[in-house]
Amino acid sequence: MILEPFYPKEWVDSVYGIDWEQWRERGIRGAIFDIDNTLVPHGAPADERAIELFDRLRRLGVETCLLSNNKEPRVASFAGAVDSLYIFKGNKPSVKNYKKAMEWMGTSPENTLFVGDQLFTDVYGANRAGIYGILVKPINPKEEIQIVLKRYLEAVVLHFYKKKKMVEK
């Protein structure tokens, strides 16, 4: 189907509900994250939950990289707080920086996850790069107008995604 390149491999409520220990047991060695509305509300600094998540991933031996379309000051300050590699102005959904992130982490599409809140940038890019993409529900519904407009289109895609998942069960 024409919409399948936009389908996440999984759709979960929150990045903070993902069973990272289970993913590590399944061979995951790297995780690439979007920041805004995935880890924290849009524009917010790293909070305790985010810092603890990255500490937990380090203890598990999972490398991390932030991949954001945002500018360097935003991404660099967040990356510093959580002690992670980062790529700013990531140009998602282009696969170039997904591949760069894996190169930096020393991982491959087979042992890397991507977690983000947007279908047309985050998930589509992960799918194109061959990475297992997990879609999370946006943390804060209050968003910039261009993202609000994209959410209407995402709702259509997610409607068909849910329908497909129901058929598979």
Side-chain angles (χ1 to χ4, degrees):
M1 183 195 234
I2 196 161
L3 298 177
E4 287 193 4
F6 301 102
Y7 289 176
K9 299 295 184 270
E10 283 184 40
W11 186 20
V12 301
D13 286 339
S14 168
V15 65
Y16 301 106
I18 294 171
D19 186 341
W20 293 103
E21 288 74 13
Q22 183 183 56
W23 279 112
R24 181 65 173 93
E25 285 172 21
R26 289 168 64 182
I28 291 302
R29 300 293 178 266
I32 305 170
F33 295 92
D34 177 51
I35 299 172
D36 290 314
N37 255 345
T38 297
L39 293 164
V40 293
H42 191 83
D47 58 17
E48 276 308 309
R49 283 194 322 171
I51 293 165
E52 172 51 36
L53 172 62
F54 281 76
D55 285 345
R56 179 174 159 202
L57 290 168
R58 256 188 302 287
R59 288 191 303 273
L60 289 170
V62 175
E63 297 291 327
T64 62
C65 187
L66 301 167
L67 175 55
S68 174
N69 285 347
N70 217 319
K71 296 180 180 125
E72 187 170 21
R74 164 70 177 140
V75 182
S77 80
F78 194 96
V82 298
D83 191 20
S84 179
L85 299 168
Y86 69 92
I87 297 169
F88 65 97
K89 288 189 183 173
N91 201 26
K92 294 179 288 183
S94 168
V95 299
K96 178 184 168 202
N97 287 315
Y98 289 83
K99 289 180 177 178
K100 184 179 188 180
M102 287 186 287
E103 185 183 316
W104 286 0
M105 294 187 300
T107 63
S108 66
E110 297 75 32
N111 62 13
T112 304
L113 292 179
F114 180 88
V115 184
D117 70 302
Q118 292 189 49
L119 287 179
F120 302 124
T121 52
D122 298 330
V123 170
Y124 182 51
N127 285 343
R128 292 177 63 218
I131 300 169
Y132 192 96
I134 300 175
L135 179 69
V136 296
K137 293 179 180 164
I139 291 174
N140 187 343
K142 197 167 166 58
E143 297 178 299
E144 297 171 359
I145 187 66
Q146 71 272 16
I147 295 172
V148 170
L149 296 174
K150 276 196 272 184
R151 295 287 184 207
Y152 287 109
L153 295 173
E154 284 184 354
V156 173
V157 175
L158 289 170
H159 167 78
F160 288 103
Y161 169 79
K162 284 189 259 184
K163 236 170 134 169
K164 179 180 182 268
K165 288 293 178 190
M166 295 301 278
V167 170
E168 289 174 357
K169 285 186 179 178

